[in-house]
């Protein structure tokens, strides 16, 4: 059961997402670009505030709850436990590597960028704003879960699209609630997806090499 099915396609997708992620983080690091980005964030925030309603706010708060560690941690443990029970060690390695990488990067990048949050959040927040921890955690969890649990093919593509939609909704909910600037949330989606794809590609490459080496060893043994 291979982690990756089409290495060339997966390499292109992973490289594209990594490039978008790098561009987003570079834009926020550049003071000139950040000034323009802040204008767009301010306009988005005004639009979100003017369009707030009780039902949408309630839904956004559900997304806020879904992104809390009290929810994501049990889900991650359950997925890892399932993979371990099924002895899908390569898939487990890809999933765990994605989660660990994202957790290391969230705190590190928040400290480096040290961006202030927008005022007037409708939910309790802590720490700096960029990137959105909720967006990173939700995205890396659902994307890594799809890669680990769903075999390559049409089903993975469909579930991957659903994971992407969920991640975007999480990002929009963070901006809607005023917990993050929209750019924080979208950058979090990109970072979470990058962690999941990079971990899967790296583990998939290792799996391919290990399989090839094992096949070569078995062939040599049979010839003997």
């Amino acid at each position: 059961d291979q982690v990756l099915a089409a290495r060339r396609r997966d390499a292109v997708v992973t490289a594209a997402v990594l490039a978008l992620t790098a561009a987003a983080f570079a834009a926020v690091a550049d003071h000139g670009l950040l000034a323009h980005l802040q204008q767009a964030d301010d306009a988005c925030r005004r639009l979100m505030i003017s369009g707030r309603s009780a039902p949408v706010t309630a839904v956004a708060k559900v997304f806020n709850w879904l992104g809390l560690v009290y929810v994501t941690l049990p889900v991650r443990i359950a997925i890892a436990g399932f993979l371990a029970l099924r002895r899908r060690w390569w898939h487990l390695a890809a999933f765990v590597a994605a989660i660990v990488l994202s957790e290391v990067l969230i705190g590190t990048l928040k400290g480096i960028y040290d961006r202030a949050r927008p005022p007037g959040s409708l939910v309790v927040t802590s720490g700096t704003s960029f990137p959105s921890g909720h967006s990173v955690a939700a995205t890396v969890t659902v994307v890594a879960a799809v890669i680990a649990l769903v075999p390559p093919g049409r089903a993975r593509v469909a579930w991957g699209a659903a994971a992407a939609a969920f991640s975007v909704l999480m990002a929009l909910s963070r901006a809607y609630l005023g917990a993050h600037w929209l750019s924080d949330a979208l950058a979090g989606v990109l970072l979470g997806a990058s962690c999941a794809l990079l971990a899967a590609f790296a583990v998939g490459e290792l799996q391919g090499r290990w399989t090839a080496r094992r096949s070569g060893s078995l062939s040599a043994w049979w010839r003997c």
Side-chain angles (χ1 to χ4, degrees), residues 109-187:
L109 291 170
K110 278 181 175 288
I112 292 173
Y113 282 86
D114 195 28
R115 191 183 189 189
R117 290 180 184 266
S121 174
L122 299 183
V123 291
V124 177
T125 60
S126 61
T128 54
S129 194
F130 185 87
S132 164
H134 268 66
S135 292
V136 176
T139 302
V140 72
T141 300
V142 295
V143 174
V146 168
I147 294 172
L149 298 174
V150 184
R154 292 183 179 179
R156 179 180 283 186
V157 172
W159 279 102
F166 174 81
S167 300
V168 171
L169 288 174
M170 175 63 77
L172 292 175
S173 74
R174 302 309 289 162
Y176 180 88
L177 293 170
H180 287 279
W181 305 107
L182 181 60
S183 58
D184 301 334
L186 294 178

